[in-house]
Amino acid sequence: MARVPEVRVTDAADLDRHLSEADGPFVVRGLIADWPLVQAGRRGAKDARAYLAGVAHDVPFAVSVGNPGTGGRLFYDDAMRMNFAMARAKLPEIFAQIDREEDTDDPRPIYLASIDVRGFFDGLHEANNVDLTGRDALASIWIGTRTRIAAHNDQPDNLACVAAGRRRFTLFPPDQFRNLYLGPVDNTPAGRAVSMVDFHAPDLARHPRFADALDHGLVAELDAGDAIHIPALWWHHVEGLAAFNVLVNYWWRTTPRWLGQPQDALNHAILAVRDLPADQKRYWRQLFDHYVFDEGDAVTAHLAEGGRGVLDPLTPDTADRLRGYLLRQLSR
């Protein structure tokens, strides 16, 4: 696989330009090298944990705890159940467990995923953040031992910053989903369908098209201080390579927050359309193309202005009205 391209960034305006113009992922080496959290991690994993514990709220955190012998892969078991358990504990308690297992031959994977930086820590965001030039970004922190997270994609754009440890990212363009052999949409490790392929031991007899995905794949290994931009809908397989790893990422949408989630529409289409007779499915495919995917002037030209309802470009008010209508229909 090819390497993810690298760019040099001089300041926030330069980063904004790269993010705005990017048509694929890129790596920025040393983007967050001056963060206090990065400096603590470079002194050692225990220093990074002490820094985080010192600013964490005194509340339970959600944590995933896997089993020994999985190689850190948080995934399904043979019965398509999750091979990890969810628990809640305060951050110092979780770190104490990591301390106890850190030097064992086969430590259990311990993983805190997508923790709201502002909601669970005092001053962490203020002391450790990237200037994203007006983007309304959600800042999350991911903390864990050696882990392997199956390839998945996200709707928002993503800037992922390695604050401690080391990570490997394997990325694929959005159109490679057929070659990644996706799992269920309703039984997922974290809300998104994931690739069923074991990237450490791909079974090409079972997943032959994965070889085609690899021809389109990109890979990057990041050290503490480095960052990677993952555009919306790009598939990414993420590995924590060190005994202790911390990542801070920023998600932002280029569309308004009041718009709906496409995944919800897909789930509803599975409920309402997929199992119809073939001739009815063909009709609804044409209607979806007409109203959603083609949506040119021909859709509304015959309707008077002011009488087009949600066929006009959505506004916060019309989006709320449509959402309310859907909720009423779904609750019948």
Side-chain angles (χ1 to χ4, degrees), residues 23-196:
D23 58 2
F26 61 80
V27 167
V28 186
R29 299 290 179 186
L31 180 69
I32 62 164
D34 60 346
W35 281 12
L37 176 55
V38 173
Q39 298 302 316
R42 287 180 174 166
R43 293 192 296 271
K46 285 184 170 58
D47 281 33
R49 292 197 285 271
Y51 181 91
L52 290 170
V55 294
H57 291 176
D58 187 29
V59 297
F61 284 62
V63 59
S64 304
V65 181
N67 298 314
T70 60
R73 191 181 188 208
L74 299 176
F75 195 63
Y76 300 97
D77 63 17
D78 291 340
M80 291 298 289
R81 297 183 297 257
M82 299 305 142
N83 70 349
F84 56 90
M86 294 300 301
R88 296 184 67 82
K90 295 180 179 180
L91 197 60
E93 298 168 2
I94 297 169
F95 285 168
Q97 182 66 33
I98 292 176
D99 284 338
R100 288 191 291 271
E101 300 211 12
E102 192 166 37
D103 296 325
T104 62
D105 292 335
D106 189 13
R108 292 180 294 173
I110 298 173
Y111 191 54
L112 297 93
S114 194
I115 305 296
D116 181 11
V117 172
R118 295 178 179 91
F120 281 79
F121 296 89
D122 285 321
L124 181 63
H125 174 75
E126 289 71 17
N128 306 266
N129 72 83
V130 175
D131 183 352
L132 289 171
T133 320
R135 289 174 175 82
D136 184 15
L138 172 66
S140 299
I141 190 167
W142 312 67
I143 305 167
T145 57
R146 286 188 176 89
T147 53
R148 289 192 283 147
I149 306 303
H152 60 285
N153 72 359
D154 300 299
Q155 181 67 26
D157 286 286
N158 185 1
L159 182 70
C161 306
V162 177
R166 197 157 183 261
R167 290 190 188 250
R168 179 186 295 121
F169 292 81
T170 308
L171 294 90
F172 303 91
D175 63 3
Q176 289 300 303
F177 66 92
R178 291 183 179 87
N179 296 332
L180 294 175
Y181 295 89
L182 302 184
V185 298
D186 60 331
N187 174 29
T188 72
R192 301 289 292 178
V194 302
S195 171
M196 299 300 291

Side-chain angles (χ1 to χ4, degrees), residues 198-320:
D198 184 347
F199 280 33
H200 280 201
D203 183 348
L204 295 182
R206 188 176 184 183
H207 306 125
R209 293 193 307 274
F210 185 63
D212 295 328
L214 292 175
D215 289 339
H216 295 84
L218 300 171
V219 65
E221 292 192 6
L222 274 61
D223 292 314
D226 298 338
I228 184 170
H229 170 51
I230 305 173
L233 301 179
W234 273 69
W235 299 92
H236 46 289
H237 178 275
V238 186
E239 300 172 72
L241 301 177
F244 183 71
N245 304 275
V246 180
L247 179 126
V248 175
N249 88 299
Y250 302 89
W251 276 317
W252 67 92
R253 296 176 62 172
T254 56
T255 54
R257 287 185 179 272
W258 42 261
L259 285 181
Q261 294 291 337
Q263 184 67 49
D264 294 337
L266 176 63
N267 292 343
H268 194 194
I270 291 172
L271 172 68
V273 177
R274 187 196 60 188
D275 294 340
L276 292 174
D279 59 333
Q280 295 184 31
K281 287 174 67 172
R282 284 193 294 272
Y283 166 77
W284 283 105
R285 180 193 293 269
Q286 294 169 9
L287 211 61
F288 270 64
D289 284 342
H290 180 71
Y291 282 117
V292 178
F293 297 108
D294 296 337
E295 47 96 30
D297 290 342
V299 176
T300 57
H302 61 287
L303 298 173
E305 290 189 17
R308 296 170 179 174
V310 298
L311 297 181
D312 269 334
L314 289 173
T315 67
D317 288 341
T318 56
D320 280 347

